[in-house]
């Protein structure tokens, strides 16, 4: 089944300061989409709105639709089965084991809050997908920041959502792991029919792995479409305000 997630945001503003304007984009399951743009361009705001979250200080004119339903009308568990959201940073007040922390991603599927063996098996599968099954029994407060970032991602995957929204998932990760993470996410999008939408600063990595790009910047409306249509010198200069040079790199089989 193909799922759709549509953001129609005429404006989103903190007081008199607009953060998003003229956003009208539709994402589909099975694709990896990267949101790129300078700091303050609204990447995190857009992801949070698509997750059904809105800060009290943010005034929004618009709506988000999932499978043509208004997201705000769905119950919490219904949302959690469709959308998993991982914000930039988070911490836990409780020192869970890695396994128990990831297992919490299955809460939306539980009855009376009890986890089934199927839930536990799925949690182990998610840990394995990210290469962290070996420290399933470790306490989360004893692992590094980069390891905890992978654990948080595993918990989001454990929701088995139609859409996975990730705000800078590569933060705290070393540069060697970043392309590996993007490769895993691209494969997950295709194999599990998940729409993966993530924000990132590295335009080169986005060019290598994304199916589509959304450029958010000072231009009147975001620029959205296939990588080869969107990532060009003119669009990048409009978005970031500096000159770019784009070349096709045979090694990566993508623009850089």
């Amino acid at each position: 089944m193909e799922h759709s997630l549509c953001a129609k945001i005429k404006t989103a503003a903190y007081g008199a300061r607009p953060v998003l304007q003229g956003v009208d984009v539709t994402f589909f399951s099975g694709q990896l989409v990267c949101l790129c743009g300078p700091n303050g361009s609204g990447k995190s705001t857009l992801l949070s709105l698509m997750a059904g979250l809105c800060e009290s200080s943010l005034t929004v004119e618009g709506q988000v639709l999932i499978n043509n339903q208004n997201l705000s009308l769905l119950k919490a568990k219904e949302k959690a089965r469709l959308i998993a959201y991982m914000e930039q940073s988070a911490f836990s007040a409780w020192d869970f084991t890695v396994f128990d922390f990831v297992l919490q991603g299955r809460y939306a599927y539980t009855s009376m809050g009890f986890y089934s063996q199927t839930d536990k098996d799925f949690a182990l599968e998610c840990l394995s997908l990210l290469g962290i099954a070996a420290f399933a029994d470790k306490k989360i407060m004893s692992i590094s920041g980069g390891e905890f970032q992978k654990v948080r991602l595993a918990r989001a995957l454990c929701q088995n959502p139609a859409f996975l929204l990730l705000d800078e998932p590569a933060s705290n990760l070393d540069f060697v792991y970043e392309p590996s993470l993007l490769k895993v996410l691209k494969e997950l999008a295709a194999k599990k029919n998940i729409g993966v939408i993530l924000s990132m600063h590295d335009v080169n990595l986005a060019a290598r792995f994304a199916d589509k790009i959304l450029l958010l910047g000072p231009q009147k409306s975001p620029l959205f479409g296939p990588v080869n249509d969107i990532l060009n010198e003119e669009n990048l200069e409009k978005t970031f305000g500096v000159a770019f040079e784009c070349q096709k790199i045979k090694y990566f089989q993508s623009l850089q």
Side-chain angles (χ1 to χ4, degrees):
M1 176 182 176
E2 184 177 65
H3 298 274
S4 64
L5 181 61
C6 179
K8 294 179 175 290
I9 311 297
K10 186 175 181 180
T11 181
Y14 291 102
R17 181 174 68 89
V19 182
L20 295 169
Q21 294 185 86
V23 177
D24 189 351
V25 292
T26 300
F27 306 98
F28 295 98
S29 54
Q31 297 181 342
L32 173 65
V33 179
C34 289
L35 313 186
C36 297
N39 290 332
S41 59
K43 300 185 297 294
S44 296
T45 300
L46 180 56
L47 285 171
S48 64
L49 290 175
M50 291 193 298
L53 304 173
C54 183
E55 296 178 49
S56 58
S57 56
L58 184 68
T59 302
V60 180
E61 184 179 350
Q63 62 180 346
V64 175
L65 305 173
I66 185 159
N67 298 332
N68 297 316
Q69 299 180 80
N70 193 316
L71 184 65
S72 65
L73 300 180
L74 298 182
K75 295 179 180 178
K77 278 196 171 184
E78 290 177 310
K79 288 182 188 178
R81 292 181 181 185
L82 290 169
I83 296 173
Y85 170 58
M86 193 177 91
E87 56 190 330
Q88 278 187 35
S89 60
F91 68 95
S92 173
W94 301 94
D95 196 12
F96 296 104
T97 65
V98 166
F99 176 78
D100 286 338
F101 186 83
V102 172
L103 184 61
Q104 292 169 15
R106 298 298 299 170
Y107 181 76
Y109 299 89
T110 62
S111 175
M112 304 295 291
F114 292 101
Y115 296 102
S116 67
Q117 188 59 49
T118 299
D119 294 326
K120 294 174 182 178
D121 291 342
F122 198 85
L124 285 172
E125 180 185 342
C126 292
L127 287 166
S128 296
L129 279 171
L130 293 173
I132 53 176
F135 53 88
D137 294 328
K138 286 188 177 181
K139 296 285 189 173
I140 58 173
M141 291 183 183
S142 71
I143 60 179
S144 70
E147 289 169 337
F148 185 53
Q149 191 77 340
K150 298 175 192 178
V151 171
R152 292 177 62 221
L153 180 55
R155 184 173 69 169
L157 283 174
C158 210
Q159 287 178 226
N160 194 30
F163 288 94
L164 183 59
L165 311 182
L166 308 172
D167 197 356
E168 297 190 30
S171 63
N172 293 322
L173 301 178
D174 61 64
F175 74 95
V176 175
Y177 187 76
E178 284 184 77
S180 299
L181 174 63
L182 269 290
K183 184 173 183 292
V184 168
L185 291 173
K186 187 175 180 70
E187 290 172 352
L188 283 170
K191 291 179 181 178
K192 292 186 174 290
N193 193 36
I194 297 174
V196 180
I197 307 168
L198 61 93
S199 65
M200 64 186 313
H201 289 286
D202 193 328
V203 179
N204 286 324
L205 269 183
R208 283 178 61 187
F209 293 101
D211 295 301
K212 291 183 177 179
I213 296 282
L214 179 67
L215 290 180
L216 289 163
Q219 61 267 24
K220 187 174 181 180
S221 298
L223 300 167
F224 179 55
V227 172
N228 289 333
D229 293 345
I230 297 299
L231 286 188
N232 56 53
E233 293 167 0
E234 180 184 356
N235 286 345
L236 288 168
E237 186 169 353
K238 282 180 184 177
T239 301
F240 291 95
V242 295
F244 279 77
E245 180 181 350
C246 297
Q247 297 183 6
K248 186 85 171 183
I249 306 298
K250 290 183 179 180
Y251 178 80
F252 295 126
Q253 293 297 303
S254 71
L255 285 168
Q256 295 287 281

